[in-house]
């Protein structure tokens, strides 16, 4: 897949989740979380964060974008996300939420 990749590290889960989901900006298409709102997801992530206070920047926000005009169905993005994160060294126990943005410039996937 040819496209753009952007990775950011941070300290606040709620901010990145608000950015990704508020105002119908994106939709959750996969992952291993039960929450469906920024608040619910931030609470879930926060439970793990409280157990690992040694990690200074627990938020790992990754965006993948297809070239302009190209699109993939949500199911295919979720499969790509699982494969990508596994290759990056993240296991099944690492919390993740996959959010799809249908931008005019091309699909963007965020984990």
């Amino acid at each position: 897949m040819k496209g753009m990749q952007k990775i950011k590290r941070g300290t606040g889960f709620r901010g990145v989740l608000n950015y990704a989901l508020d105002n119908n900006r994106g939709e959750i298409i996969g992952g291993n979380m039960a929450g469906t709102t920024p608040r619910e997801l931030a609470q879930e992530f926060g439970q793990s964060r409280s157990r690992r206070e040694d990690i200074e920047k627990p938020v790992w926000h990754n965006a993948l974008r297809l070239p302009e005009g190209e699109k993939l169905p949500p199911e295919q993005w979720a499969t790509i996300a699982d494969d990508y994160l596994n290759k990056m060294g993240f296991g099944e126990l690492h919390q993740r939420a996959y959010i799809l943005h249908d931008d005019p410039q091309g699909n963007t996937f965020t984990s």
Side-chain angles (χ1 to χ4, degrees):
M1 171 179 35
K2 185 176 181 178
M4 178 190 80
Q5 173 188 8
K6 182 168 63 172
I7 299 172
K8 289 188 176 185
R9 298 288 309 262
T11 58
F13 291 102
R14 184 74 182 267
V16 74
L17 292 165
N18 281 340
Y19 168 78
L21 290 170
D22 275 358
N23 300 319
N24 296 319
R25 182 175 166 80
E27 69 173 301
I28 298 170
I29 61 165
N32 59 6
M33 309 290 286
T36 59
T37 67
R39 181 183 176 131
E40 292 170 350
L41 289 166
Q43 287 175 338
E44 280 184 76
F45 281 120
Q47 290 172 359
S48 293
R49 180 184 192 170
S50 67
R51 293 183 185 115
R52 291 295 312 268
E53 294 177 3
D54 59 312
I55 299 175
E56 290 181 32
K57 292 186 175 184
V59 177
W60 193 76
H61 175 221
N62 186 9
L64 301 175
R65 180 186 300 268
L66 290 174
E68 188 171 345
E70 291 188 26
K71 295 185 182 246
L72 292 173
E75 303 79 22
Q76 193 170 359
W77 268 117
T79 299
I80 290 168
D82 281 333
D83 291 344
Y84 177 80
L85 290 177
N86 287 335
K87 288 178 182 173
M88 293 292 292
F90 292 92
E92 292 299 316
L93 297 179
H94 288 97
Q95 293 174 304
R96 57 186 82 182
Y98 303 151
I99 300 167
L100 181 65
H101 301 258
D102 196 13
D103 293 334
Q105 298 88 6
N107 279 150
T108 302
F109 151 79
T110 303
S111 69

